[in-house]
Amino acid sequence: MVSWRWFKRNSGKLADARSAAINDTDIGADVPIRQASQDLLRRVSFADRIAEILSQLTLEEGRIFAIRGEWGAGKSSLKNLIVESLQNREKGASWLEFNPWQWGDGDAIAKALFKEIADKLGGDLSSAAGKRAGMFRRYGALLTGTGASIKAVGNNRLLISSLLANASVVALVASFGLDMPKATTVAAAFAISSFLVPLIGKAMVAWGKDRWAEPLDSIRSSLEGSLRELEKPLVVFVDDIDRLEPDQIRLLIRQIKVNANLPNIVFVLLFQPSIVEAALDEIADGQGREFLKKIIQANFDLPAVPRPMVSDAMVSDLSRLANAYSTKENGFEEVRWGNTLFGVIQPFIANLRDAKRFVSSVAIHLPLHVGEPLLEVNIIDFLALEALRVFEPDFHSSLFVERNLLLQSARHDSDGQDQEQKARLDNLIARVSERNRPAVEAALTELFPRVAWAFGGMYYDAGDWMSQWTSDRRVCSSRYFRRYFELQTPPGEMSDSEYGSFLTVSNDAIALEATINDIEERGLLGSLAFRLDDGVNRLPVESAATLMPQMFAIGQKLVDRGVGPLTSPWVAAWRAISWYIGRLPLAERGTLTIEALRQTGALSVGATIIHLNDPSDQRDGSKVEPKLDEETVAALKTEWLRQIRELAGGGDLDLHPDLGSLLYRWRDYAGGLDGPRAWVQEAIADDEGFLHVIERLMTTGTSHTVGDFVSSRVDSFDKRLLDDLIGEDVARDRLSKVDASRASDEQRRAITALRKTLDGNVDF
């Protein structure tokens, strides 16, 4: 099997040949090659042979040849190679290119054809060439019905009078805003006009001697004699015939047939046979193919192109565009790329036009995902999705709509939905053309592993694989799915490039702090926490002395961010710290963790890390494996108590967002409630302290009623917490005395919620 790396090593020759043909300016254009140096299909010798045949003089009558092939097979490219060969021949034929598709309706196509042939015959403006061109124009005018006699216009006095009258009116209108002409002046103008009408008519009759009135046979005879004097034939290439409407095809073929027997005129028609034959069926009693045989004397059918040759050309262009991103950091894997290239992309590529369309799409969309130094998406997933975008655009659009189905969101092993899910996936595939279904199924299996079972593959448990998929920026990760379709980093998320910059400075304390401050100022601290959680394996162990304290600080700032245990930035932050500790050398992790707590005073983070590593604090059957030994845990508790007592003594503890949890941890680590209770009683002695404390002890959640589209906020208090630290009587007394007018909006919410709790109006 040929791999991407093989193409990277061997694409130099191919890339050199293609460099002139594929540029950014060619994006989206169906551009054929122009010269032999660009030929990747080895058709130069075939083009030379055709050029030799076309260069032969035909003194008695002209000829009609055809270059036949399917759309995208390279007909125009072969024509360009033939033209280059004609130019290089000492006695090669003259030639011109005529593209009927750009001329509009049938009459315009015929007129344009004769005009361009006549202009070409005019050549260097010699008297003989000019005479030849004039005769051809007259002949073309007769055939197309465009040679109406100018005498008819000259003899029509009424028409001329109308023209002159209209001209007078225009002159009159143009004078508005200036001095209005007198009535006598206007009358004089009309009088002069009426006098001039007969004179102008006679002049037009005299000047307009009807040169088109010569007999057609006479014009043709003169034209044939002149054409026989040509030193080399004129080859007329007529391209894109198969893009015309059926009636236009018929008219064009008829005009070419009429002139096919003119000496030294050679027509070369380029088309897809099935389309032209179908257009001629209407005038040939369903025998369009047989009709065409009577017109065309010989066919040059395009040689078959080996699929590997087309693939080589395509991957050569891909190499030029995407080689810089085919790295492990961007999710590149040899085996997976081979599966995607041969199973997903290549089945769509039937010819060079398909390859060009695909490469153009990659060239358009890849820059939208490029960061510094990483892509914002997985390189292999990106290329597979581009193939679907180009060749099955409706199916590609449906992927975003069906994202929950593809990601298998909210599913579990025993939900019994396999049959329903399989039916939905089959319905999704049914939208695809039958020829492309195998490739689309392969794409779904490769891009979305969790639906592989529906196509005969294995079952993937998201819990075991999601972390790796997210780390690889795969489309099957809910974190990255939208980026592939929205073509930008979602609002509120930092890019992979920014995260890469964060990692780059992780060993430089000053630069790291500045980077984090910038991230925080832009409101992306929560996104950074998710990045740390998803990519903990990328965190450099050698930077732990600098990185660990900053991770503690980040986590502490996110304590009150998010409400869901699985989606909260706070959870992502402490989980990343825990996993990172597990990656550190056993002999160093304890010291580094204690030092991080000491430097930052991150009490909530510290309490969580202690909880995860304290065997006495684990419930039976816990799967959490301690990463710190008991001695380190004891030292962490000691440092933690020192800091909370210092904070309580300084008067700032009441501002802590995680106050209730910290007070209970204080109780647990100190062995009793004496310390926490004493601090609370002192803190609530005045109104300001009381309001601060109850605001921090209040718990805020949400309530959702079936049928509602939005949730409502619910504020409450833990009754046990109130009893342990404040006491019901004290709380009622303080509520009765507090001046609510001096409270903030959040504090007034706390007052209302506390009253409901004390009155028993809230379920606990």
Side-chain angles (χ1 to χ4, degrees):
M1 179 177 290
V2 181
S3 71
W4 177 285
R5 297 297 181 187
W6 182 92
F7 284 118
K8 291 181 70 176
R9 291 194 300 269
N10 294 278
S11 61
K13 294 178 289 185
L14 295 170
D16 289 343
R18 298 286 288 172
S19 60
I22 304 290
N23 297 292
D24 288 344
T25 55
D26 296 328
I27 291 176
D30 185 13
V31 182
I33 64 172
R34 290 288 177 184
Q35 53 196 15
S37 61
Q38 300 170 329
D39 178 35
L40 300 178
L41 303 181
R42 298 182 294 181
R43 289 176 172 172
V44 172
S45 59
F46 185 46
D48 287 341
R49 176 58 182 150
I50 297 175
E52 181 180 350
I53 295 172
L54 298 180
S55 297
Q56 297 173 2
L57 288 169
T58 56
L59 299 180
E60 295 305 319
E61 62 180 19
R63 294 173 293 178
I64 301 179
F65 297 132
I67 295 177
R68 305 190 304 181
E70 300 297 309
W71 274 353
K75 297 186 293 294
S76 297
S77 294
L78 178 62
K79 174 205 63 180
N80 291 339
L81 294 178
I82 296 171
V83 167
E84 183 182 29
S85 181
L86 292 174
Q87 292 173 328
N88 294 336
R89 290 173 177 270
E90 184 177 347
K91 296 183 179 180
S94 299
W95 57 274
L96 70 86
E97 297 184 61
F98 179 72
N99 192 325
W101 195 54
Q102 62 185 338
W103 291 104
D105 61 25
D107 289 341
I109 292 172
K111 294 173 187 176
L113 173 62
F114 288 120
K115 179 182 182 301
E116 292 198 18
I117 293 176
D119 289 344
K120 183 68 177 182
L121 291 173
D124 58 1
L125 300 181
S126 65
S127 58
K131 183 179 180 181
R132 231 181 354 256
M135 285 187 289
F136 203 101
R137 287 193 184 93
R138 282 146 50 201
Y139 180 54
L142 286 171
L143 288 177
T144 59
T146 58
S149 175
I150 199 171
K151 285 184 178 180
V153 179
N155 288 325
N156 193 336
R157 294 187 179 186
L158 178 61
L159 174 61
I160 297 174
S161 298
S162 298
L163 290 173
L164 292 174
N166 287 339
S168 299
V169 173
V170 171
L172 179 63
V173 173
S175 70
F176 276 89
L178 302 175
D179 294 337
M180 291 292 292
K182 296 180 179 179
T184 54
T185 302
V186 176
F190 277 108
I192 294 172
S193 298
S194 62
F195 173 76
L196 290 176
V197 165
L199 297 179
I200 293 174
K202 290 180 179 180
M204 291 184 71
V205 169
W207 174 69
K209 278 202 168 185
D210 199 347
R211 300 184 179 185
W212 307 102
E214 299 178 28
L216 177 60
D217 291 343
S218 174
I219 294 176
R220 182 181 178 89
S221 177
S222 299
L223 180 61
E224 288 178 349
S226 180
L227 289 173
R228 288 191 182 96
E229 297 175 5
L230 289 174
E231 295 181 358
K232 52 186 178 181
L234 173 64
V235 179
V236 182
F237 293 99
V238 186
D239 202 352
D240 290 334
I241 298 176
D242 42 23
R243 295 191 183 189
L244 300 173
E245 296 295 331
D247 59 331
Q248 294 174 327
I249 292 176
R250 291 190 287 271
L251 184 146
L252 178 67
I253 295 295
R254 182 162 50 247
Q255 295 292 351
I256 291 172
K257 174 59 178 174
V258 167
N259 293 280
N261 57 353
L262 288 173
N264 290 321
I265 298 290
V266 180
F267 287 94
V268 179
L269 314 182
L270 289 80
F271 56 83
Q272 178 173 321
S274 60
I275 295 177
V276 174
E277 291 167 3
L280 296 176
D281 280 344
E282 183 174 327
I283 59 174
D285 194 23
Q287 299 294 314
R289 176 175 299 181
E290 298 302 318
F291 185 87
L292 203 55
K293 288 179 181 179
K294 296 180 180 180
I295 298 174
I296 296 173
Q297 297 166 353
N299 297 308
F300 303 116
D301 290 330
L302 288 175
V305 180
R307 295 289 284 264
M309 190 176 291
V310 175
S311 179
D312 285 2
M314 177 189 70
V315 179
S316 170
D317 292 335
L318 286 181
S319 295
R320 181 175 53 80
L321 290 171
N323 264 358
Y325 307 105
S326 59
T327 63
K328 181 179 179 181
E329 291 75 16
N330 286 318
F332 181 83
E333 302 172 21
E334 287 272 0
V335 174
R336 185 162 184 263
W337 166 241
N339 292 339
T340 302
L341 175 63
F342 294 104
V344 177
I345 299 174
Q346 279 194 357
F348 289 116
I349 310 298
N351 50 52
L352 284 178
R353 177 172 290 174
D354 291 338
K356 172 65 178 176
R357 289 174 59 204
F358 175 62
V359 171
S360 294
S361 185
V362 171
I364 290 169
H365 295 102
L366 183 62
L368 302 178
H369 296 297
V370 171
E372 183 61 42
L374 300 173
L375 286 180
E376 299 299 322
V377 294
N378 182 285
I379 180 65
I380 296 177
D381 284 7
F382 163 76
L383 292 171
L385 284 167
E386 284 308 300
L388 295 178
R389 184 199 301 276
V390 173
F391 301 107
E392 288 290 347
D394 293 339
F395 178 78
H396 178 272
S397 299
S398 70
L399 296 181
F400 188 78
V401 177
E402 298 289 353
R403 55 188 176 275
N404 290 331
L405 172 65
L406 298 170
L407 299 176
Q408 296 285 276
S409 302
R411 287 206 64 190
H412 54 83
D413 294 341
S414 58
D415 61 7
Q417 295 185 18
D418 279 7
Q419 187 173 354
E420 175 189 345
Q421 297 282 302
K422 179 68 165 62
R424 290 179 60 191
L425 288 166
D426 288 342
N427 183 60
L428 189 62
I429 292 288
R431 307 175 190 178
V432 176
S433 62
E434 188 171 350
R435 184 181 76 87
N436 288 338
R437 284 180 190 175
V440 170
E441 287 187 8
L444 288 183
T445 301
E446 196 64 50
L447 292 169
F448 302 100
R450 293 205 68 198
V451 302
W453 61 268
F455 305 105
M458 63 178 289
Y459 281 84
Y460 286 83
D461 179 34
D464 296 334
W465 290 89
M466 190 56 69
S467 177
Q468 183 63 47
W469 292 335
T470 303
S471 179
D472 291 340
R473 302 188 293 285
R474 294 281 304 277
V475 68
C476 57
S477 162
S478 57
R479 182 72 49 77
Y480 284 90
F481 179 88
R482 300 177 71 92
R483 295 195 185 191
Y484 288 86
F485 298 91
E486 296 178 350
L487 305 179
Q488 59 184 328
T489 303
E493 285 199 28
M494 66 186 301
S495 68
D496 273 67
S497 298
E498 290 177 305
Y499 184 58
S501 299
F502 169 86
L503 295 179
T504 300
V505 300
S506 62
N507 202 30
D508 184 331
I510 296 176
L512 181 60
E513 184 175 3
T515 299
I516 294 174
N517 288 340
D518 177 65
I519 292 172
E520 184 176 8
E521 288 176 3
R522 290 184 292 123
L524 301 178
L525 206 59
S527 178
L528 176 57
F530 285 119
R531 292 283 182 173
L532 293 169
D533 187 27
D534 295 335
V536 68
N537 290 331
R538 294 175 58 190
L539 298 178
V541 172
E542 61 274 12
S543 301
T546 303
L547 187 55
M548 180 84 82
Q550 291 294 349
M551 293 177 69
F552 267 66
I554 291 169
Q556 193 61 45
K557 292 176 181 179
L558 297 173
V559 169
D560 58 346
R561 294 281 292 277
V563 297
L566 298 179
T567 60
S568 165
W570 153 243
V571 173
W574 63 251
R575 188 164 53 193
I577 294 170
S578 178
W579 286 345
Y580 185 51
I581 290 173
R583 293 186 58 224
L584 302 179
L586 191 60
E588 300 176 14
R589 62 179 64 169
T591 302
L592 290 169
T593 304
I594 294 171
E595 181 61 20
L597 176 61
R598 188 192 65 78
Q599 288 185 31
T600 61
L603 292 176
S604 297
V605 175
T608 302
I609 297 301
I610 291 171
H611 165 71
L612 293 174
N613 292 276
D614 187 358
S616 65
D617 200 19
Q618 301 297 319
R619 296 179 181 178
D620 292 339
S622 174
K623 296 182 180 180
V624 178
E625 181 179 350
K627 299 175 178 62
L628 300 171
D629 56 39
E630 293 185 18
E631 183 179 350
T632 300
V633 172
L636 283 171
K637 289 181 179 179
T638 299
E639 174 62 23
W640 194 94
L641 284 170
R642 183 192 68 76
Q643 290 188 17
I644 197 169
R645 286 165 178 157
E646 183 178 303
L647 188 62
D652 293 331
L653 183 57
D654 59 337
L655 301 178
H656 201 286
D658 195 25
L659 181 59
S661 176
L662 294 185
L663 292 175
Y664 270 131
R665 290 299 175 187
W666 187 354
R667 176 202 64 186
D668 294 340
Y669 300 161
L673 278 169
D674 292 344
R677 186 185 294 116
W679 175 83
V680 170
Q681 295 300 323
E682 182 178 352
I684 65 174
D686 57 37
D687 284 358
E688 183 179 2
F690 176 72
L691 291 172
H692 279 153
V693 169
I694 64 172
E695 178 185 356
R696 299 302 179 185
L697 294 181
M698 178 177 65
T699 300
T700 299
T702 59
S703 175
H704 183 83
T705 303
V706 176
D708 291 340
F709 291 100
V710 296
S711 300
S712 57
R713 172 172 167 169
V714 176
D715 301 317
S716 62
F717 281 85
D718 185 334
K719 186 70 163 54
R720 185 185 62 173
L721 183 68
L722 291 175
D723 291 341
D724 287 345
L725 298 175
I726 299 178
E728 183 176 340
D729 293 339
V730 174
R732 290 184 183 278
D733 179 63
R734 296 299 297 118
L735 275 176
S736 65
K737 297 177 180 178
V738 70
D739 184 0
S741 64
R742 300 174 57 186
S744 66
D745 291 342
E746 198 68 14
Q747 289 170 348
R748 280 194 284 271
R749 283 182 170 275
I751 291 172
T752 301
L754 181 57
R755 285 187 176 133
K756 289 183 178 180
T757 300
L758 294 174
D759 293 340
N761 295 328
V762 179
D763 295 331
F764 301 104

